[in-house]
Amino acid sequence: MNNNYNILVVEDDAPVRNLITTTLKANEYKFITAANGSDAIMSAVSHNPDIVLLDLGLPDMDGVDVIEKIRSWSNVPIIVISARSEISDKIEALDAGADDYLTKPFSVEELLARLRVTLRRLSVVSEQSSSASVFENGSLKIDYAAGCAYLNGDELHLTPIEYKLLCLMAKNVGKVLTHSYITRNVWGTSWNNDVASLRVFMATLRKKIEKASDTTPIIQTHIGVGYRMMKME
Ligand code: CA
């Protein structure tokens, strides 16, 4: 049952908006709609939605500005829906505070999958606030107080950078993090988006926390964009 969740759909293109709302209705999500950026911001204030689905190309303002406005007071998950396939637009939206993106044209199944990923993230966030010192995701466990990480109960031998990287991904589980966000938070601004080095550290970390036999790796690569830790079932 999804009907406790209220989703704000921001889309000026009526056929696309109808496709989204029909899908939401069929899957028992509640929703409200907005067809431009200023209505979207007003609705986000007055309805306090659980998720925002946001088209980037709006008639009155840029979707990235809508993200920045909403982020000034709210951490509500924002999934960007955009016809712009350029990677730079996705990065700009993610760096402004979006959680995930869908590129038009998208399938109904894709939309529902993104919603499920985001809702799992919401459930982790609420679990974490009640027991903040330990993070568990599938066979992975992080004991923040002890500064240790475990895989299937065995302690992982991580370098300080790998541990920092793992904690950052865990803190943002379910969310796509851009290369520049990760390098800024792990190494500071002096690293200036050193993607080649990040790739090397990520590869060694993944070797330690993933097995070749894993059907779904815990770290998802978004080519040219960044990485996301998946919430495992
Ligand atoms: Ca549009």
Side-chain angles (χ1 to χ4, degrees):
M1 225 34 129
N2 297 315
N3 53 16
N4 287 324
Y5 295 105
N6 196 18
I7 299 173
L8 170 59
V9 180
V10 186
E11 173 61 78
D12 61 315
D13 184 348
V16 179
R17 196 171 59 234
N18 289 340
L19 170 72
I20 295 171
T21 56
T22 305
T23 305
L24 295 179
K25 215 181 290 178
N27 289 274
E28 299 181 18
Y29 288 103
K30 285 189 290 189
F31 60 86
I32 36 174
T33 60
N36 61 57
S38 48
D39 281 356
I41 292 164
M42 298 236 295
S43 291
V45 173
S46 53
H47 295 276
N48 197 22
D50 298 295
I51 295 180
V52 178
L53 290 173
L54 175 69
D55 177 31
L56 281 186
L58 296 168
D60 58 334
M61 59 197 285
D62 195 291
V64 171
D65 296 330
V66 177
I67 298 170
E68 283 168 354
K69 282 267 163 44
I70 292 177
R71 277 289 169 266
S72 67
W73 83 87
S74 169
N75 284 320
V76 60
I78 300 173
I79 303 173
V80 161
I81 301 181
S82 171
R84 313 173 193 185
S85 55
E86 287 88 353
I87 276 173
S88 60
D89 290 317
K90 291 171 184 168
I91 291 174
E92 197 191 353
L94 291 167
D95 277 337
D99 292 68
D100 199 357
Y101 55 84
L102 261 174
T103 306
K104 289 178 189 170
F106 57 87
S107 70
V108 162
E109 288 72 27
E110 251 182 299
L111 170 64
L112 291 170
R114 297 312 167 92
L115 288 174
R116 282 194 300 271
V117 166
T118 303
L119 291 173
R120 280 210 292 276
R121 166 171 159 70
L122 282 179
S123 71
V124 173
V125 169
S126 58
E127 275 167 33
Q128 276 180 337
S129 52
S130 55
S131 60
S133 69
V134 173
F135 169 85
E136 283 188 88
N137 185 11
S139 50
L140 179 72
K141 180 178 163 181
I142 305 173
D143 183 336
Y144 292 118
C148 295
Y150 305 85
L151 193 68
N152 292 315
D154 297 327
E155 190 177 344
L156 289 164
H157 299 286
L158 303 177
T159 66
I161 292 288
E162 288 166 355
Y163 181 72
K164 226 171 150 181
L165 202 49
L166 182 66
C167 290
L168 183 71
M169 303 297 294
K171 213 175 78 189
N172 294 282
V173 64
K175 189 171 171 171
V176 180
L177 303 180
T178 63
H179 294 134
S180 71
Y181 180 89
I182 297 171
T183 52
R184 212 165 51 237
N185 280 276
V186 174
W187 292 282
T189 44
S190 59
W191 269 61
N192 200 21
N193 203 11
D194 183 347
V195 178
S197 300
L198 171 60
R199 203 171 284 141
V200 171
F201 281 103
M202 194 60 89
T204 62
L205 173 64
R206 294 183 70 162
K207 255 185 219 143
K208 296 178 183 180
I209 64 171
E210 292 174 351
K211 291 193 188 68
S213 58
D214 290 348
T215 41
T216 330
I218 190 164
I219 305 289
Q220 203 181 52
T221 302
H222 290 246
I223 293 162
V225 176
Y227 299 93
R228 155 160 59 191
M229 179 185 281
M230 300 300 286
K231 171 71 186 112
M232 308 309 271
E233 301 283 3

